[in-house]
Amino acid sequence: MCPPSLCRLRTVALATAISLLTVPAVALAQRRPNGFETGTETAAAAPWYVQAIIAGGITLVIGGLLVAVVPDSTRRRTDFALESPVLALVYGVASLVAVIGTSVLLAITGIGLLLAVPMLLIFALVALVASVYGYLAVGRLVGDEWTLALGSAVVVSIAVGVVPVLGPIIGFVIGSIGLGTVVMTIQEDRNSRP
């Protein structure tokens, strides 16, 4: 009989190995042998695995920095995501719609275009960093230790980058949950100030 921590580590290692072996097989089964998509989709200029590598690298770098630099804030935000993922999703999608709607209204005025472009660029950077909180929350479902959670988050982001149709949808949901948790914690911080 193995100790509980060793059994848990074995289970996670086995689940990770199975994921790494099956996710690419599912993704490859959905593609043509020459790598080009058929139907209404256009052919990608980069190989199919480039998105997965980029997604995994971004999650590893940003998630590693968040865990190393602000571990308490990261734990708090991932706790929010785990406690109420639906509310976080609603907050994330609402903030996305609000920023895009505001930038469209600003762009219509012409002079507001000078404000809309920087606002969208800043929001894109914030959303990129905030989406990693969603992936870290998914990683914390596997284990509460940061190394295990970060490794699981990287595996999930790679899987999301590999799967062609369902992957972007799942990635949008996870990223919106991360963005929503950032919005929720900022709102909570404002409400708690005297």
Side-chain angles (χ1 to χ4, degrees):
M1 192 81 180
C2 64
S5 61
L6 185 59
C7 287
R8 193 165 129 198
L9 183 61
R10 282 186 192 166
T11 305
V12 169
L14 181 62
T16 303
I18 290 171
S19 297
L20 289 174
L21 292 174
T22 57
V23 170
V26 170
L28 285 173
Q30 295 179 9
R31 297 182 186 273
R32 294 234 174 235
N34 60 5
F36 291 98
E37 300 290 332
T38 59
T40 59
E41 299 175 12
T42 58
W48 61 270
Y49 53 85
V50 171
Q51 279 184 323
I53 292 171
I54 291 172
I58 287 173
T59 304
L60 180 64
V61 170
I62 294 175
L65 286 172
L66 289 173
V67 167
V69 176
V70 284
D72 294 334
S73 173
T74 303
R75 183 165 302 280
R76 184 171 144 235
R77 288 185 173 151
T78 54
D79 284 342
F80 265 110
L82 293 172
E83 290 169 4
S84 55
V86 175
L87 184 62
L89 177 65
V90 169
Y91 269 85
V93 171
S95 64
L96 177 67
V97 169
V99 168
I100 290 175
T102 303
S103 64
V104 167
L105 290 175
L106 283 172
I108 289 174
T109 65
I111 192 80
L113 193 61
L114 296 173
L115 294 174
V117 172
M119 182 176 71
L120 283 174
L121 290 174
I122 290 169
F123 181 75
L125 288 173
V126 169
L128 178 69
V129 172
S131 68
V132 175
Y133 286 113
Y135 284 101
L136 286 173
V138 171
R140 282 192 57 204
L141 290 173
V142 175
D144 209 30
E145 298 170 2
W146 280 125
T147 338
L148 185 60
L150 181 61
S152 301
V154 169
V155 169
V156 169
S157 66
I158 288 172
V160 164
V162 168
V163 178
V165 176
L166 195 59
I169 295 170
I170 293 172
F172 176 76
V173 169
I174 293 173
S176 295
I177 289 172
L179 180 60
T181 59
V182 171
V183 172
M184 288 168 55
T185 53
I186 289 172
Q187 185 179 11
E188 183 184 88
D189 290 343
R190 283 186 184 166
N191 291 340
S192 65
R193 289 182 189 159

Short mmCIF file of all heavy atoms in Angstrom, two decimals, residues 68-142:
data_model
loop_
_atom_site.label_atom_id
_atom_site.label_comp_id
_atom_site.label_asym_id
_atom_site.label_seq_id
_atom_site.Cartn_x
_atom_site.Cartn_y
_atom_site.Cartn_z
N ALA A 68 4.82 32.55 -8.65
CA ALA A 68 6.06 32.92 -7.96
C ALA A 68 5.98 34.32 -7.34
O ALA A 68 6.47 34.54 -6.24
CB ALA A 68 7.23 32.86 -8.93
N VAL A 69 5.36 35.26 -8.05
CA VAL A 69 5.38 36.65 -7.60
C VAL A 69 4.22 36.97 -6.65
O VAL A 69 4.43 37.62 -5.62
CB VAL A 69 5.37 37.61 -8.81
CG1 VAL A 69 5.30 39.06 -8.37
CG2 VAL A 69 6.61 37.38 -9.67
N VAL A 70 3.02 36.56 -6.98
CA VAL A 70 1.85 36.88 -6.16
C VAL A 70 1.05 35.61 -5.84
O VAL A 70 -0.08 35.44 -6.29
CB VAL A 70 0.95 37.93 -6.85
CG1 VAL A 70 1.53 39.31 -6.74
CG2 VAL A 70 0.66 37.57 -8.28
N PRO A 71 1.61 34.71 -5.05
CA PRO A 71 0.91 33.44 -4.80
C PRO A 71 -0.40 33.60 -4.01
O PRO A 71 -1.36 32.88 -4.27
CB PRO A 71 1.92 32.62 -4.00
CG PRO A 71 2.86 33.60 -3.42
CD PRO A 71 2.90 34.76 -4.35
N ASP A 72 -0.46 34.56 -3.07
CA ASP A 72 -1.68 34.73 -2.28
C ASP A 72 -2.82 35.25 -3.14
O ASP A 72 -3.95 34.78 -3.06
CB ASP A 72 -1.43 35.67 -1.10
CG ASP A 72 -0.45 35.08 -0.10
OD1 ASP A 72 -0.35 33.84 -0.04
OD2 ASP A 72 0.22 35.87 0.61
N SER A 73 -2.52 36.23 -3.97
CA SER A 73 -3.54 36.78 -4.87
C SER A 73 -3.98 35.74 -5.89
O SER A 73 -5.17 35.64 -6.22
CB SER A 73 -2.98 38.01 -5.59
OG SER A 73 -3.86 38.47 -6.56
N THR A 74 -3.04 34.95 -6.38
CA THR A 74 -3.37 33.90 -7.33
C THR A 74 -4.26 32.85 -6.69
O THR A 74 -5.24 32.40 -7.29
CB THR A 74 -2.08 33.25 -7.87
OG1 THR A 74 -1.27 34.28 -8.45
CG2 THR A 74 -2.38 32.21 -8.91
N ARG A 75 -3.96 32.48 -5.46
CA ARG A 75 -4.80 31.50 -4.75
C ARG A 75 -6.20 32.06 -4.54
O ARG A 75 -7.19 31.38 -4.72
CB ARG A 75 -4.17 31.10 -3.42
CG ARG A 75 -4.98 30.04 -2.69
CD ARG A 75 -4.21 29.38 -1.58
NE ARG A 75 -2.98 28.74 -1.98
CZ ARG A 75 -2.87 27.55 -2.55
NH1 ARG A 75 -3.94 26.86 -2.82
NH2 ARG A 75 -1.70 27.05 -2.84
N ARG A 76 -6.27 33.33 -4.16
CA ARG A 76 -7.57 33.96 -3.92
C ARG A 76 -8.41 33.99 -5.20
O ARG A 76 -9.60 33.68 -5.18
CB ARG A 76 -7.35 35.37 -3.38
CG ARG A 76 -8.60 36.07 -3.00
CD ARG A 76 -8.28 37.37 -2.27
NE ARG A 76 -9.27 38.35 -2.67
CZ ARG A 76 -9.03 39.53 -3.18
NH1 ARG A 76 -7.80 39.92 -3.36
NH2 ARG A 76 -9.99 40.34 -3.50
N ARG A 77 -7.79 34.34 -6.29
CA ARG A 77 -8.54 34.43 -7.56
C ARG A 77 -8.94 33.05 -8.07
O ARG A 77 -10.02 32.89 -8.62
CB ARG A 77 -7.73 35.20 -8.58
CG ARG A 77 -7.70 36.68 -8.23
CD ARG A 77 -7.03 37.52 -9.24
NE ARG A 77 -7.20 38.92 -8.86
CZ ARG A 77 -6.36 39.87 -9.15
NH1 ARG A 77 -5.29 39.61 -9.86
NH2 ARG A 77 -6.60 41.11 -8.77
N THR A 78 -8.07 32.09 -7.92
CA THR A 78 -8.46 30.74 -8.36
C THR A 78 -9.52 30.15 -7.42
O THR A 78 -10.35 29.36 -7.86
CB THR A 78 -7.24 29.80 -8.45
OG1 THR A 78 -6.54 29.79 -7.21
CG2 THR A 78 -6.32 30.22 -9.58
N ASP A 79 -9.50 30.55 -6.14
CA ASP A 79 -10.57 30.14 -5.23
C ASP A 79 -11.92 30.70 -5.70
O ASP A 79 -12.93 30.01 -5.66
CB ASP A 79 -10.29 30.62 -3.80
CG ASP A 79 -9.25 29.77 -3.09
OD1 ASP A 79 -8.99 28.64 -3.55
OD2 ASP A 79 -8.68 30.25 -2.09
N PHE A 80 -11.91 31.97 -6.13
CA PHE A 80 -13.14 32.56 -6.67
C PHE A 80 -13.65 31.75 -7.86
O PHE A 80 -14.84 31.49 -7.99
CB PHE A 80 -12.89 34.00 -7.13
CG PHE A 80 -13.22 35.03 -6.11
CD1 PHE A 80 -12.22 35.76 -5.51
CD2 PHE A 80 -14.54 35.31 -5.77
CE1 PHE A 80 -12.51 36.73 -4.58
CE2 PHE A 80 -14.84 36.27 -4.84
CZ PHE A 80 -13.83 36.98 -4.23
N ALA A 81 -12.72 31.38 -8.74
CA ALA A 81 -13.11 30.63 -9.94
C ALA A 81 -13.66 29.26 -9.58
O ALA A 81 -14.60 28.78 -10.22
CB ALA A 81 -11.92 30.48 -10.88
N LEU A 82 -13.10 28.63 -8.57
CA LEU A 82 -13.57 27.30 -8.17
C LEU A 82 -14.87 27.36 -7.39
O LEU A 82 -15.68 26.44 -7.46
CB LEU A 82 -12.49 26.58 -7.36
CG LEU A 82 -11.22 26.22 -8.14
CD1 LEU A 82 -10.16 25.68 -7.19
CD2 LEU A 82 -11.53 25.23 -9.23
N GLU A 83 -15.08 28.44 -6.62
CA GLU A 83 -16.29 28.56 -5.82
C GLU A 83 -17.51 28.89 -6.67
O GLU A 83 -18.60 28.38 -6.42
CB GLU A 83 -16.11 29.62 -4.73
CG GLU A 83 -15.16 29.22 -3.64
CD GLU A 83 -14.80 30.36 -2.72
OE1 GLU A 83 -15.34 31.48 -2.89
OE2 GLU A 83 -13.96 30.15 -1.84
N SER A 84 -17.35 29.77 -7.64
CA SER A 84 -18.50 30.17 -8.46
C SER A 84 -18.07 30.38 -9.91
O SER A 84 -17.93 31.51 -10.37
CB SER A 84 -19.13 31.44 -7.89
OG SER A 84 -18.16 32.45 -7.77
N PRO A 85 -17.87 29.27 -10.64
CA PRO A 85 -17.40 29.40 -12.03
C PRO A 85 -18.44 30.02 -12.97
O PRO A 85 -18.09 30.74 -13.89
CB PRO A 85 -17.08 27.97 -12.43
CG PRO A 85 -17.84 27.11 -11.49
CD PRO A 85 -17.98 27.89 -10.22
N VAL A 86 -19.73 29.79 -12.71
CA VAL A 86 -20.76 30.34 -13.59
C VAL A 86 -20.82 31.86 -13.45
O VAL A 86 -20.89 32.58 -14.45
CB VAL A 86 -22.14 29.70 -13.30
CG1 VAL A 86 -23.23 30.35 -14.12
CG2 VAL A 86 -22.09 28.21 -13.57
N LEU A 87 -20.76 32.34 -12.22
CA LEU A 87 -20.76 33.78 -11.99
C LEU A 87 -19.51 34.43 -12.60
O LEU A 87 -19.58 35.50 -13.21
CB LEU A 87 -20.85 34.09 -10.50
CG LEU A 87 -20.96 35.55 -10.10
CD1 LEU A 87 -22.24 36.15 -10.67
CD2 LEU A 87 -20.91 35.69 -8.60
N ALA A 88 -18.37 33.76 -12.45
CA ALA A 88 -17.13 34.28 -13.05
C ALA A 88 -17.23 34.31 -14.57
O ALA A 88 -16.77 35.25 -15.21
CB ALA A 88 -15.95 33.43 -12.61
N LEU A 89 -17.84 33.28 -15.16
CA LEU A 89 -18.04 33.25 -16.61
C LEU A 89 -18.92 34.42 -17.06
O LEU A 89 -18.63 35.08 -18.05
CB LEU A 89 -18.65 31.92 -17.03
CG LEU A 89 -18.99 31.75 -18.51
CD1 LEU A 89 -17.72 31.76 -19.36
CD2 LEU A 89 -19.76 30.46 -18.73
N VAL A 90 -19.98 34.67 -16.32
CA VAL A 90 -20.89 35.79 -16.66
C VAL A 90 -20.14 37.11 -16.57
O VAL A 90 -20.25 37.96 -17.47
CB VAL A 90 -22.13 35.78 -15.74
CG1 VAL A 90 -22.94 37.06 -15.89
CG2 VAL A 90 -22.98 34.57 -16.02
N TYR A 91 -19.37 37.31 -15.51
CA TYR A 91 -18.58 38.53 -15.36
C TYR A 91 -17.56 38.67 -16.50
O TYR A 91 -17.35 39.76 -17.03
CB TYR A 91 -17.84 38.56 -14.02
CG TYR A 91 -18.61 39.20 -12.90
CD1 TYR A 91 -19.54 38.48 -12.16
CD2 TYR A 91 -18.40 40.53 -12.57
CE1 TYR A 91 -20.23 39.06 -11.12
CE2 TYR A 91 -19.09 41.13 -11.53
CZ TYR A 91 -20.01 40.39 -10.81
OH TYR A 91 -20.70 40.98 -9.79
N GLY A 92 -16.92 37.59 -16.87
CA GLY A 92 -15.92 37.64 -17.92
C GLY A 92 -16.51 37.99 -19.28
O GLY A 92 -16.00 38.85 -20.00
N VAL A 93 -17.60 37.33 -19.63
CA VAL A 93 -18.25 37.60 -20.92
C VAL A 93 -18.84 39.01 -20.93
O VAL A 93 -18.74 39.72 -21.93
CB VAL A 93 -19.33 36.53 -21.22
CG1 VAL A 93 -20.16 36.91 -22.43
CG2 VAL A 93 -18.67 35.18 -21.43
N ALA A 94 -19.43 39.44 -19.80
CA ALA A 94 -19.99 40.79 -19.72
C ALA A 94 -18.91 41.85 -19.88
O ALA A 94 -19.13 42.86 -20.57
CB ALA A 94 -20.73 40.97 -18.41
N SER A 95 -17.76 41.64 -19.28
CA SER A 95 -16.68 42.62 -19.42
C SER A 95 -16.15 42.65 -20.85
O SER A 95 -15.84 43.72 -21.39
CB SER A 95 -15.55 42.35 -18.43
OG SER A 95 -14.95 41.11 -18.70
N LEU A 96 -16.08 41.50 -21.49
CA LEU A 96 -15.66 41.44 -22.89
C LEU A 96 -16.64 42.19 -23.79
O LEU A 96 -16.24 43.01 -24.62
CB LEU A 96 -15.54 39.98 -23.33
CG LEU A 96 -15.18 39.73 -24.79
CD1 LEU A 96 -13.76 40.19 -25.07
CD2 LEU A 96 -15.34 38.27 -25.14
N VAL A 97 -17.93 41.96 -23.59
CA VAL A 97 -18.95 42.65 -24.38
C VAL A 97 -18.92 44.15 -24.11
O VAL A 97 -19.03 44.96 -25.04
CB VAL A 97 -20.35 42.05 -24.08
CG1 VAL A 97 -21.46 42.91 -24.66
CG2 VAL A 97 -20.44 40.63 -24.61
N ALA A 98 -18.73 44.54 -22.85
CA ALA A 98 -18.70 45.96 -22.51
C ALA A 98 -17.51 46.67 -23.16
O ALA A 98 -17.66 47.77 -23.71
CB ALA A 98 -18.64 46.13 -20.99
N VAL A 99 -16.35 46.05 -23.13
CA VAL A 99 -15.17 46.70 -23.72
C VAL A 99 -15.29 46.77 -25.23
O VAL A 99 -14.99 47.80 -25.84
CB VAL A 99 -13.87 45.95 -23.30
CG1 VAL A 99 -12.69 46.41 -24.11
CG2 VAL A 99 -13.61 46.16 -21.83
N ILE A 100 -15.75 45.70 -25.86
CA ILE A 100 -15.90 45.73 -27.32
C ILE A 100 -16.98 46.72 -27.72
O ILE A 100 -16.81 47.50 -28.67
CB ILE A 100 -16.19 44.31 -27.86
CG1 ILE A 100 -14.95 43.45 -27.71
CG2 ILE A 100 -16.63 44.37 -29.32
CD1 ILE A 100 -15.12 42.01 -28.10
N GLY A 101 -18.10 46.74 -27.00
CA GLY A 101 -19.17 47.70 -27.30
C GLY A 101 -18.72 49.13 -27.14
O GLY A 101 -19.01 50.00 -27.99
N THR A 102 -17.99 49.41 -26.07
CA THR A 102 -17.48 50.76 -25.84
C THR A 102 -16.50 51.16 -26.92
O THR A 102 -16.53 52.30 -27.42
CB THR A 102 -16.79 50.83 -24.46
OG1 THR A 102 -17.73 50.44 -23.46
CG2 THR A 102 -16.29 52.23 -24.16
N SER A 103 -15.63 50.26 -27.32
CA SER A 103 -14.65 50.60 -28.36
C SER A 103 -15.33 50.83 -29.71
O SER A 103 -14.89 51.70 -30.47
CB SER A 103 -13.58 49.52 -28.46
OG SER A 103 -14.15 48.32 -28.89
N VAL A 104 -16.39 50.09 -30.00
CA VAL A 104 -17.13 50.32 -31.26
C VAL A 104 -17.79 51.69 -31.23
O VAL A 104 -17.73 52.45 -32.21
CB VAL A 104 -18.16 49.20 -31.50
CG1 VAL A 104 -19.14 49.58 -32.59
CG2 VAL A 104 -17.45 47.90 -31.85
N LEU A 105 -18.42 52.02 -30.10
CA LEU A 105 -19.05 53.34 -29.98
C LEU A 105 -18.02 54.46 -30.08
O LEU A 105 -18.28 55.50 -30.69
CB LEU A 105 -19.83 53.44 -28.67
CG LEU A 105 -21.10 52.60 -28.59
CD1 LEU A 105 -21.72 52.70 -27.20
CD2 LEU A 105 -22.09 53.02 -29.65
N LEU A 106 -16.86 54.27 -29.48
CA LEU A 106 -15.80 55.28 -29.58
C LEU A 106 -15.28 55.38 -31.01
O LEU A 106 -15.01 56.48 -31.50
CB LEU A 106 -14.64 54.94 -28.64
CG LEU A 106 -14.86 55.25 -27.16
CD1 LEU A 106 -13.71 54.67 -26.34
CD2 LEU A 106 -14.97 56.74 -26.94
N ALA A 107 -15.15 54.25 -31.69
CA ALA A 107 -14.62 54.26 -33.05
C ALA A 107 -15.57 54.94 -34.03
O ALA A 107 -15.14 55.52 -35.02
CB ALA A 107 -14.33 52.84 -33.50
N ILE A 108 -16.86 54.88 -33.75
CA ILE A 108 -17.84 55.51 -34.64
C ILE A 108 -17.64 57.02 -34.68
O ILE A 108 -17.82 57.65 -35.72
CB ILE A 108 -19.28 55.15 -34.19
CG1 ILE A 108 -19.55 53.69 -34.50
CG2 ILE A 108 -20.32 56.04 -34.86
CD1 ILE A 108 -20.87 53.18 -33.96
N THR A 109 -17.24 57.60 -33.57
CA THR A 109 -17.09 59.06 -33.52
C THR A 109 -15.88 59.54 -34.30
O THR A 109 -15.77 60.72 -34.59
CB THR A 109 -16.95 59.54 -32.07
OG1 THR A 109 -15.74 59.01 -31.51
CG2 THR A 109 -18.14 59.12 -31.24
N GLY A 110 -14.99 58.67 -34.64
CA GLY A 110 -13.80 59.07 -35.40
C GLY A 110 -12.67 59.47 -34.48
O GLY A 110 -11.62 58.84 -34.47
N ILE A 111 -12.86 60.53 -33.71
CA ILE A 111 -11.82 60.97 -32.78
C ILE A 111 -11.65 59.96 -31.65
O ILE A 111 -10.58 59.81 -31.09
CB ILE A 111 -12.13 62.38 -32.24
CG1 ILE A 111 -10.92 62.98 -31.52
CG2 ILE A 111 -13.31 62.38 -31.31
CD1 ILE A 111 -9.91 63.55 -32.40
N GLY A 112 -12.74 59.26 -31.34
CA GLY A 112 -12.68 58.24 -30.30
C GLY A 112 -11.86 57.03 -30.70
O GLY A 112 -11.50 56.21 -29.86
N LEU A 113 -11.54 56.93 -31.99
CA LEU A 113 -10.70 55.84 -32.46
C LEU A 113 -9.33 55.89 -31.81
O LEU A 113 -8.70 54.86 -31.58
CB LEU A 113 -10.59 55.90 -33.99
CG LEU A 113 -10.00 54.69 -34.69
CD1 LEU A 113 -10.87 53.47 -34.43
CD2 LEU A 113 -9.90 54.94 -36.18
N LEU A 114 -8.88 57.10 -31.49
CA LEU A 114 -7.59 57.25 -30.80
C LEU A 114 -7.63 56.64 -29.40
O LEU A 114 -6.59 56.24 -28.88
CB LEU A 114 -7.20 58.72 -30.72
CG LEU A 114 -6.95 59.41 -32.06
CD1 LEU A 114 -6.76 60.91 -31.85
CD2 LEU A 114 -5.75 58.80 -32.76
N LEU A 115 -8.80 56.58 -28.81
CA LEU A 115 -8.94 55.94 -27.50
C LEU A 115 -9.29 54.46 -27.61
O LEU A 115 -8.89 53.66 -26.77
CB LEU A 115 -10.05 56.64 -26.70
CG LEU A 115 -9.80 58.08 -26.29
CD1 LEU A 115 -11.05 58.66 -25.65
CD2 LEU A 115 -8.63 58.17 -25.34
N ALA A 116 -10.03 54.09 -28.66
CA ALA A 116 -10.51 52.72 -28.79
C ALA A 116 -9.38 51.73 -29.03
O ALA A 116 -9.36 50.65 -28.45
CB ALA A 116 -11.54 52.63 -29.91
N VAL A 117 -8.43 52.09 -29.88
CA VAL A 117 -7.35 51.16 -30.21
C VAL A 117 -6.47 50.86 -28.99
O VAL A 117 -6.24 49.69 -28.67
CB VAL A 117 -6.53 51.68 -31.41
CG1 VAL A 117 -5.29 50.84 -31.64
CG2 VAL A 117 -7.40 51.72 -32.66
N PRO A 118 -5.98 51.88 -28.26
CA PRO A 118 -5.20 51.55 -27.06
C PRO A 118 -6.01 50.80 -26.01
O PRO A 118 -5.48 49.91 -25.34
CB PRO A 118 -4.75 52.91 -26.52
CG PRO A 118 -4.89 53.85 -27.64
CD PRO A 118 -5.96 53.32 -28.52
N MET A 119 -7.31 51.14 -25.89
CA MET A 119 -8.15 50.45 -24.91
C MET A 119 -8.26 48.96 -25.25
O MET A 119 -8.15 48.11 -24.37
CB MET A 119 -9.53 51.08 -24.87
CG MET A 119 -10.45 50.46 -23.84
SD MET A 119 -12.05 51.26 -23.71
CE MET A 119 -12.81 50.75 -25.24
N LEU A 120 -8.43 48.65 -26.53
CA LEU A 120 -8.52 47.25 -26.94
C LEU A 120 -7.19 46.52 -26.74
O LEU A 120 -7.17 45.35 -26.33
CB LEU A 120 -8.96 47.15 -28.40
CG LEU A 120 -10.44 47.38 -28.66
CD1 LEU A 120 -10.72 47.39 -30.15
CD2 LEU A 120 -11.27 46.31 -27.98
N LEU A 121 -6.09 47.19 -27.01
CA LEU A 121 -4.77 46.56 -26.81
C LEU A 121 -4.51 46.27 -25.33
O LEU A 121 -4.04 45.19 -24.97
CB LEU A 121 -3.67 47.43 -27.39
CG LEU A 121 -3.62 47.52 -28.91
CD1 LEU A 121 -2.57 48.54 -29.35
CD2 LEU A 121 -3.34 46.17 -29.53
N ILE A 122 -4.83 47.24 -24.48
CA ILE A 122 -4.64 47.04 -23.05
C ILE A 122 -5.57 45.93 -22.54
O ILE A 122 -5.15 45.07 -21.76
CB ILE A 122 -4.88 48.36 -22.28
CG1 ILE A 122 -3.74 49.34 -22.59
CG2 ILE A 122 -4.99 48.13 -20.79
CD1 ILE A 122 -3.98 50.75 -22.11
N PHE A 123 -6.82 45.93 -23.01
CA PHE A 123 -7.75 44.89 -22.59
C PHE A 123 -7.28 43.51 -23.06
O PHE A 123 -7.43 42.53 -22.33
CB PHE A 123 -9.16 45.18 -23.13
CG PHE A 123 -10.16 44.14 -22.71
CD1 PHE A 123 -10.64 44.11 -21.41
CD2 PHE A 123 -10.59 43.18 -23.60
CE1 PHE A 123 -11.55 43.14 -21.01
CE2 PHE A 123 -11.50 42.22 -23.21
CZ PHE A 123 -11.99 42.20 -21.92
N ALA A 124 -6.72 43.43 -24.24
CA ALA A 124 -6.22 42.15 -24.75
C ALA A 124 -5.10 41.62 -23.86
O ALA A 124 -5.06 40.41 -23.55
CB ALA A 124 -5.75 42.28 -26.19
N LEU A 125 -4.20 42.49 -23.43
CA LEU A 125 -3.12 42.06 -22.53
C LEU A 125 -3.66 41.63 -21.17
O LEU A 125 -3.23 40.61 -20.61
CB LEU A 125 -2.09 43.18 -22.37
CG LEU A 125 -1.21 43.45 -23.57
CD1 LEU A 125 -0.35 44.69 -23.34
CD2 LEU A 125 -0.33 42.25 -23.88
N VAL A 126 -4.60 42.42 -20.64
CA VAL A 126 -5.20 42.06 -19.35
C VAL A 126 -5.95 40.74 -19.46
O VAL A 126 -5.85 39.87 -18.59
CB VAL A 126 -6.13 43.20 -18.87
CG1 VAL A 126 -6.99 42.75 -17.69
CG2 VAL A 126 -5.32 44.42 -18.49
N ALA A 127 -6.70 40.56 -20.55
CA ALA A 127 -7.44 39.32 -20.75
C ALA A 127 -6.51 38.12 -20.90
O ALA A 127 -6.82 37.02 -20.43
CB ALA A 127 -8.36 39.44 -21.96
N LEU A 128 -5.36 38.32 -21.54
CA LEU A 128 -4.40 37.23 -21.70
C LEU A 128 -3.88 36.78 -20.34
O LEU A 128 -3.83 35.58 -20.04
CB LEU A 128 -3.24 37.68 -22.59
CG LEU A 128 -2.13 36.66 -22.80
CD1 LEU A 128 -2.64 35.50 -23.65
CD2 LEU A 128 -0.93 37.32 -23.45
N VAL A 129 -3.48 37.74 -19.51
CA VAL A 129 -2.98 37.39 -18.18
C VAL A 129 -4.11 36.82 -17.32
O VAL A 129 -3.93 35.82 -16.62
CB VAL A 129 -2.34 38.62 -17.50
CG1 VAL A 129 -1.99 38.34 -16.05
CG2 VAL A 129 -1.11 39.06 -18.27
N ALA A 130 -5.31 37.43 -17.40
CA ALA A 130 -6.43 36.98 -16.58
C ALA A 130 -6.89 35.58 -16.97
O ALA A 130 -7.34 34.80 -16.11
CB ALA A 130 -7.59 37.96 -16.69
N SER A 131 -6.77 35.22 -18.23
CA SER A 131 -7.21 33.89 -18.65
C SER A 131 -6.37 32.79 -18.01
O SER A 131 -6.87 31.68 -17.80
CB SER A 131 -7.16 33.76 -20.17
OG SER A 131 -5.83 33.78 -20.64
N VAL A 132 -5.15 33.10 -17.66
CA VAL A 132 -4.29 32.11 -17.02
C VAL A 132 -4.84 31.73 -15.64
O VAL A 132 -4.68 30.59 -15.19
CB VAL A 132 -2.83 32.62 -16.94
CG1 VAL A 132 -1.95 31.66 -16.17
CG2 VAL A 132 -2.28 32.83 -18.34
N TYR A 133 -5.53 32.67 -14.98
CA TYR A 133 -6.18 32.33 -13.71
C TYR A 133 -7.21 31.22 -13.90
O TYR A 133 -7.36 30.35 -13.05
CB TYR A 133 -6.86 33.56 -13.09
CG TYR A 133 -5.91 34.55 -12.48
CD1 TYR A 133 -5.75 35.81 -13.03
CD2 TYR A 133 -5.17 34.23 -11.35
CE1 TYR A 133 -4.88 36.72 -12.47
CE2 TYR A 133 -4.29 35.13 -10.79
CZ TYR A 133 -4.15 36.38 -11.35
OH TYR A 133 -3.28 37.28 -10.80
N GLY A 134 -7.91 31.25 -15.02
CA GLY A 134 -8.87 30.18 -15.31
C GLY A 134 -8.18 28.84 -15.48
O GLY A 134 -8.64 27.82 -14.97
N TYR A 135 -7.06 28.84 -16.20
CA TYR A 135 -6.32 27.59 -16.39
C TYR A 135 -5.72 27.10 -15.07
O TYR A 135 -5.68 25.90 -14.81
CB TYR A 135 -5.22 27.76 -17.45
CG TYR A 135 -5.78 27.79 -18.84
CD1 TYR A 135 -5.96 28.99 -19.52
CD2 TYR A 135 -6.14 26.62 -19.50
CE1 TYR A 135 -6.48 29.02 -20.80
CE2 TYR A 135 -6.66 26.64 -20.76
CZ TYR A 135 -6.83 27.84 -21.42
OH TYR A 135 -7.36 27.86 -22.67
N LEU A 136 -5.24 28.03 -14.24
CA LEU A 136 -4.71 27.62 -12.94
C LEU A 136 -5.82 27.06 -12.04
O LEU A 136 -5.57 26.13 -11.27
CB LEU A 136 -4.02 28.80 -12.25
CG LEU A 136 -2.66 29.19 -12.82
CD1 LEU A 136 -2.16 30.48 -12.17
CD2 LEU A 136 -1.64 28.08 -12.65
N ALA A 137 -7.02 27.61 -12.17
CA ALA A 137 -8.15 27.07 -11.40
C ALA A 137 -8.46 25.64 -11.85
O ALA A 137 -8.70 24.76 -11.01
CB ALA A 137 -9.38 27.96 -11.57
N VAL A 138 -8.41 25.40 -13.14
CA VAL A 138 -8.61 24.03 -13.65
C VAL A 138 -7.48 23.13 -13.14
O VAL A 138 -7.71 21.99 -12.75
CB VAL A 138 -8.68 24.02 -15.19
CG1 VAL A 138 -8.67 22.60 -15.73
CG2 VAL A 138 -9.92 24.77 -15.67
N GLY A 139 -6.27 23.65 -13.13
CA GLY A 139 -5.14 22.88 -12.61
C GLY A 139 -5.29 22.56 -11.13
O GLY A 139 -4.89 21.49 -10.67
N ARG A 140 -5.90 23.48 -10.38
CA ARG A 140 -6.10 23.23 -8.94
C ARG A 140 -7.15 22.17 -8.69
O ARG A 140 -7.24 21.64 -7.59
CB ARG A 140 -6.48 24.53 -8.23
CG ARG A 140 -5.28 25.41 -8.00
CD ARG A 140 -5.54 26.54 -7.07
NE ARG A 140 -6.02 26.08 -5.77
CZ ARG A 140 -6.74 26.85 -4.96
NH1 ARG A 140 -7.06 28.08 -5.32
NH2 ARG A 140 -7.14 26.40 -3.80
N LEU A 141 -7.93 21.83 -9.69
CA LEU A 141 -8.86 20.71 -9.54
C LEU A 141 -8.10 19.39 -9.41
O LEU A 141 -8.56 18.46 -8.78
CB LEU A 141 -9.82 20.63 -10.72
CG LEU A 141 -10.87 21.74 -10.82
CD1 LEU A 141 -11.62 21.62 -12.13
CD2 LEU A 141 -11.81 21.69 -9.64
N VAL A 142 -6.92 19.34 -10.02
CA VAL A 142 -6.09 18.14 -9.96
C VAL A 142 -5.34 18.07 -8.64
O VAL A 142 -5.28 17.03 -8.00
CB VAL A 142 -5.10 18.10 -11.15
CG1 VAL A 142 -4.15 16.92 -11.02
CG2 VAL A 142 -5.85 18.04 -12.46
#
